Amino acid sequence: MNNHLKEKLALLPDQPGCYLMKDRQETIIYVGKAKILKNRVRSYFTGSHDGKTARLVSEIEDFEFIVTSSELEALILEMNLIKKHDPKYNIMLKDDKSYPYLKITAERHPRLLTTRNVKKDKGKYFGPYANVQAANETKKLLDRLYPLRKCSTIPDRVCLYYHMNQCLAPCVKDISEAKNKEMVDEIVKFLNGGHQDIKKSLEEKMYKASEELDFERAKEYRDQIAHIESVMEKQKMNLNELVDRDVFGYTYDKGWMCVQVFFVRQGKLIERDVSLFPFYNEPEEDLLTYLGQFYLKSNHLKPKEIFLPEEINGEYAEKLVDVKVIQPKRGKKKDLVDLAIKNAKIALKEKFALIERDEERTIKAVENLGQKMGIPTPHRIEAFDNSNIQGTDPVSAMIMFVDGKPEKKEYRKYKIKSVEGPDDYASMREVTRRRYTRLLKENLPLPDLIIIDGGKGHIQAVKDVLENELGLELPICGLAKDEKHRTSELLFGDPLELIDLGRNSQEFYLLQRIQDEVHRFAITFHRQLRGKTAFKSILDDIPGVGEQRKKKILNHFGSIKKLKEATMEELTAINIPKNVAENIINHIKQDTQDKVSEE
């Protein structure tokens, strides 16, 4: 622990509040809450911790704190700070799937829609549904029963839905507000459990049609009844009360927590949500943090009430999410909470083995790599590779791995601008200059380790740019390959020396993955450029073919092979004049003959 941290720890107040932990890049990596800030924050730097907390503490270089007037206020502030800063060590909802809902819009002529986005508008939302098929089937059924308008913008003529009796055609008819309200009320009643009345009415109509020998109509009613049964009644679990509620159960072990949420709609369990994540405080407190985040997600619509285990502070939870909280002690409701807890325990047990294997391959490999190289754990690694064939279309690529896993949204491609011919050193100098000038200019996080696909010359070229031009001292290593183009050795240090990692070690496999991935990314980019260049070059110097026509031909045919097979009719079909089409075909034919004679 550095002196700066020791001084700040001595100044912590004995009041409630939130604290924000920062790494050496001044990035906020964890947000927490405390009943007494002095005790909670100091606890991170005293005693021993499990692996996950120890890893967090090893990255803390500084912290801030915000005093609040109460523990509840700290809880709410923590929730908002996590949403704002998205710290990597905080509880993150791993399962980001969104569930489908049915929505009745609040327009003059309302519509019934299927949506995954729950907005704070005046629309009425119902769900969530187990999957989009269930939502669409329910909508399809309601469309047959209640003919609300279908078009997103009202046209000037009737459409097919009107002729199918699924729309009253407000485009050409004056539909009263009272009529729209009547249909909306019926749909609301249906989705709130009134489908049994509709089913009974349809059964009466079916029997009547059958008695009148109108079997086609009777079959239609029968199909609608079957649809109601399959869509509205075929559920996993049933409670007598027709109330929308979410049921939370959780468990924890070895620094990890699993939360299971059952979505109960109209007394029926229709779907569940599973989240698995590391936690760093008391489990009951972190479950409350999770609960606050859960309903910040746009795809989680608040129900009428939620069920929680008895040990959770129900008063805090109710104020946090602004929903009635029930903590059942017996009966079916308690059984439902126990079932959620049981499922959480099973899920955590099943996934532990996978988590441990993944940790061995990723974060532990990163930690071991840092130890072998004698540098702080390189959580953020950036790797570079060049690609060119005889100097044509030279490109470079940069990839990023964070905690041993690829961060693909941070990958970058570079066209080499200042280098002519195949000069790997000059290309590497240009690309790293561009990359780290931008990071400094935009005040973005710098990497903990830079990996160059190459040897001593490549490393020295990059080092010269970083240290002598940009004033940066960052660890730089090189990866060499053997005669079979496989990862062979790691060069690092001053002077450079081979770092022995062990061919069967996870850190060696990590470097293999990084080197293979950056090479794949670079060569893919190079092939894309070469393909476009080759395609355009074959059309050079053809009378009547300028840049616009090149682009049109490229977009239509997509490859040289297809262009070579193109007929006169296919070219003129995309508005290429006949005489120009003839020039293209003759030029391609001559170009092919020339290449055959050269071979």
Side-chain angles (χ1 to χ4, degrees):
M1 182 167 55
N2 59 45
N3 289 330
H4 176 67
L5 276 176
K6 289 179 181 177
E7 291 172 2
K8 292 190 76 170
L9 287 171
L11 299 174
L12 283 164
D14 54 357
Q15 297 178 51
C18 289
Y19 52 92
L20 301 89
M21 303 298 197
K22 298 181 177 181
D23 64 9
R24 62 176 176 271
Q25 305 279 359
E26 295 191 354
T27 301
I28 294 171
I29 57 175
Y30 184 71
V31 172
K33 62 185 176 301
K35 180 186 274 187
I36 301 176
L37 279 166
K38 179 172 63 177
N39 296 347
R40 172 56 59 80
V41 178
R42 285 180 177 178
S43 70
Y44 286 91
F45 304 97
T46 57
S48 60
H49 302 286
D50 60 44
K52 305 238 174 342
T53 306
R55 191 173 299 137
L56 163 64
V57 173
S58 71
E59 290 190 52
I60 298 173
E61 295 289 328
D62 197 3
F63 67 85
E64 297 177 14
F65 63 87
I66 303 169
V67 174
T68 60
S69 58
S70 68
E71 191 178 357
L72 176 59
E73 191 176 310
L75 178 63
I76 295 171
L77 176 61
E78 179 200 40
M79 179 180 71
N80 291 324
L81 288 172
I82 290 172
K83 182 182 180 184
K84 178 181 178 181
H85 296 291
D86 197 23
K88 70 176 184 179
Y89 278 108
N90 272 97
I91 293 171
M92 305 309 296
L93 303 183
K94 299 297 183 184
D95 188 357
D96 201 24
K97 66 184 177 183
S98 56
Y99 295 99
Y101 292 81
L102 289 181
K103 174 185 179 181
I104 304 174
T105 65
E107 299 165 285
R108 165 67 178 83
H109 296 288
R111 291 175 294 150
L112 180 65
L113 308 173
T114 305
T115 182
R116 291 183 185 272
N117 298 316
V118 178
K119 300 178 181 178
K120 291 183 178 179
D121 53 19
K122 295 182 180 180
K124 294 180 173 64
Y125 291 87
F126 303 88
Y129 286 84
N131 52 61
V132 73
Q133 182 181 1
N136 285 336
E137 285 181 350
T138 305
K139 179 183 180 300
K140 187 177 178 182
L141 173 61
L142 290 169
D143 284 340
R144 294 171 181 168
L145 299 172
Y146 306 106
L148 294 179
R149 79 176 172 101
K150 303 294 183 292
C151 302
S152 56
T153 56
I154 297 180
D156 57 2
R157 68 188 69 182
V158 298
C159 63
L160 180 62
Y161 287 109
Y162 172 74
H163 297 293
M164 294 169 62
N165 297 317
Q166 293 187 22
C167 179
L168 295 180
C171 51
V172 296
K173 294 185 178 183
D174 183 20
I175 310 300
S176 68
E177 288 189 27
K179 180 62 178 174
N180 282 328
K181 184 178 183 303
E182 179 187 341
M183 288 191 291
V184 168
D185 290 345
E186 285 292 316
I187 293 174
V188 171
K189 179 183 176 183
F190 183 99
L191 293 172
N192 282 337
H195 59 275
Q196 290 287 2
D197 294 337
I198 302 297
K199 178 185 169 186
K200 186 176 179 181
S201 174
L202 289 173
E203 286 175 343
E204 291 173 357
K205 291 179 180 179
M206 178 183 70
Y207 292 133
K208 184 178 179 182
S210 179
E211 289 171 0
E212 294 174 353
L213 304 182
D214 189 351
F215 298 117
E216 188 173 341
R217 177 68 66 182
K219 180 179 180 298
E220 184 179 327
Y221 289 136
R222 185 198 66 188
D223 292 344
Q224 289 183 352
I225 292 166
H227 215 63
I228 290 175
E229 290 173 344
S230 64
V231 173
M232 305 300 294
E233 297 176 6
K234 195 175 179 182
Q235 304 291 345
K236 301 173 188 175
M237 184 177 297
N238 203 343
L239 295 177
N240 293 329
E241 300 173 358
L242 302 179
V243 178
D244 291 352
R245 53 172 65 102
D246 292 344
V247 181
F248 288 80
Y250 76 110
T251 191
Y252 54 91
D253 190 18
K254 301 184 182 73
W256 284 84
M257 182 180 290
C258 180
V259 180
Q260 296 248 348
V261 188
F262 289 163
F263 298 120
V264 179
R265 297 298 179 264
Q266 294 304 299
K268 300 176 180 65
L269 174 60
I270 65 167
E271 185 55 281
R272 71 170 179 172
D273 185 278
V274 185
S275 293
L276 184 71
F277 45 80
F279 72 104
Y280 304 93
N281 299 306
E282 293 301 314
E284 294 80 10
E285 292 182 15
D286 275 358
L287 182 70
L288 283 171
T289 300
Y290 171 91
L291 189 63
Q293 282 187 281
F294 189 80
Y295 290 110
L296 288 176
K297 292 281 183 179
S298 61
N299 56 302
H300 290 140
L301 191 66
K302 289 183 182 179
K304 295 289 184 183
E305 59 190 32
I306 64 174
F307 287 0
L308 290 177
E310 292 182 67
E311 66 271 17
I312 303 303
N313 189 319
E315 181 183 357
Y316 275 16
E318 197 162 277
K319 290 179 180 178
L320 187 66
V321 298
D322 193 26
V323 171
K324 182 180 180 181
V325 171
I326 295 174
Q327 295 171 284
K329 294 179 172 56
R330 65 184 66 85
K332 281 189 175 182
K333 296 177 180 179
K334 177 66 162 57
D335 291 344
L336 200 54
V337 173
D338 289 344
L339 183 62
I341 294 171
K342 181 180 179 181
N343 276 270
K345 289 179 178 179
I346 292 170
L348 187 60
K349 183 178 179 181
E350 286 179 347
K351 290 189 177 182
F352 257 135
L354 293 175
I355 292 169
E356 289 169 2
R357 284 171 58 190
D358 187 54
E359 287 275 298
E360 188 71 29
R361 291 180 68 251
T362 55
I363 187 64
K364 288 183 181 177
V366 172
E367 290 173 348
N368 292 342
L369 179 63
Q371 290 172 5
K372 292 286 181 69
M373 296 177 70
I375 62 174
T377 301
H379 295 282
R380 182 187 296 259
I381 297 174
E382 294 186 358
F384 294 83
D385 190 16
N386 296 328
S387 180
N388 68 76
I389 297 178
Q390 297 178 345
T392 62
D393 297 313
V395 300
S396 188
M398 187 280 294
I399 67 167
M400 182 189 294
F401 270 52
V402 176
D403 286 335
K405 295 180 180 180
E407 193 78 6
K408 294 199 173 184
K409 68 177 185 295
E410 297 293 339
Y411 284 16
R412 296 292 182 268
K413 303 171 183 176
Y414 298 92
K415 291 182 182 178
I416 303 301
K417 299 177 179 178
S418 64
V419 182
E420 292 187 9
D423 189 336
D424 257 11
Y425 298 161
S427 295
M428 197 63 75
R429 290 172 63 90
E430 176 191 323
V431 169
T432 51
R433 183 185 296 115
R434 286 164 60 185
R435 169 65 178 170
Y436 297 112
T437 298
R438 179 172 181 179
L439 292 191
L440 289 172
K441 182 179 178 181
E442 298 182 7
N443 197 28
L444 296 172
L446 293 166
D448 301 309
L449 175 64
I450 297 172
I451 296 178
I452 307 299
D453 192 88
K456 182 177 179 181
H458 296 84
I459 296 172
Q460 294 297 350
V462 174
K463 205 169 188 178
D464 179 52
V465 170
L466 296 185
E467 294 181 1
N468 298 325
E469 294 184 28
L470 303 179
L472 293 174
E473 290 191 11
L474 298 173
I476 306 167
C477 66
L479 284 178
K481 293 184 177 179
D482 59 20
E483 68 280 358
K484 294 184 179 180
H485 209 67
R486 296 176 302 194
T487 303
S488 174
E489 52 192 27
L490 173 66
L491 286 170
F492 180 69
D494 189 14
L496 291 170
E497 60 181 6
L498 294 178
I499 306 296
D500 183 19
L501 297 179
R503 288 302 181 93
N504 294 324
S505 67
Q506 288 296 336
E507 49 270 30
F508 183 80
Y509 294 144
L510 171 63
L511 292 178
Q512 271 190 328
R513 293 197 299 276
I514 292 174
Q515 189 171 39
D516 290 345
E517 176 68 354
V518 72
H519 181 70
R520 178 201 66 78
F521 191 55
I523 202 72
T524 299
F525 180 40
H526 187 241
R527 284 170 179 164
Q528 289 171 350
L529 284 184
R530 286 186 63 223
K532 291 179 180 178
T533 303
F535 195 107
K536 289 187 176 181
S537 64
I538 200 172
L539 297 172
D540 286 346
D541 304 321
I542 300 177
V545 180
E547 286 303 316
Q548 289 300 318
R549 281 189 177 148
K550 281 183 185 179
K551 188 176 180 181
K552 180 188 290 187
I553 294 168
L554 171 62
N555 290 337
H556 182 77
F557 290 100
S559 70
I560 294 175
K561 182 176 182 293
K562 288 186 178 179
L563 177 59
K564 286 181 177 181
E565 295 170 353
T567 63
M568 178 75 70
E569 291 75 17
E570 288 174 322
L571 287 166
T572 55
I574 57 171
N575 297 321
I576 302 296
K578 187 175 180 181
N579 62 320
V580 177
E582 288 177 351
N583 291 338
I584 293 171
I585 289 173
N586 292 334
H587 181 85
I588 291 173
K589 188 181 296 183
Q590 185 62 47
D591 181 77
T592 303
Q593 290 173 351
D594 291 343
K595 286 183 177 178
V596 170
S597 62
E598 287 171 7
E599 292 171 359

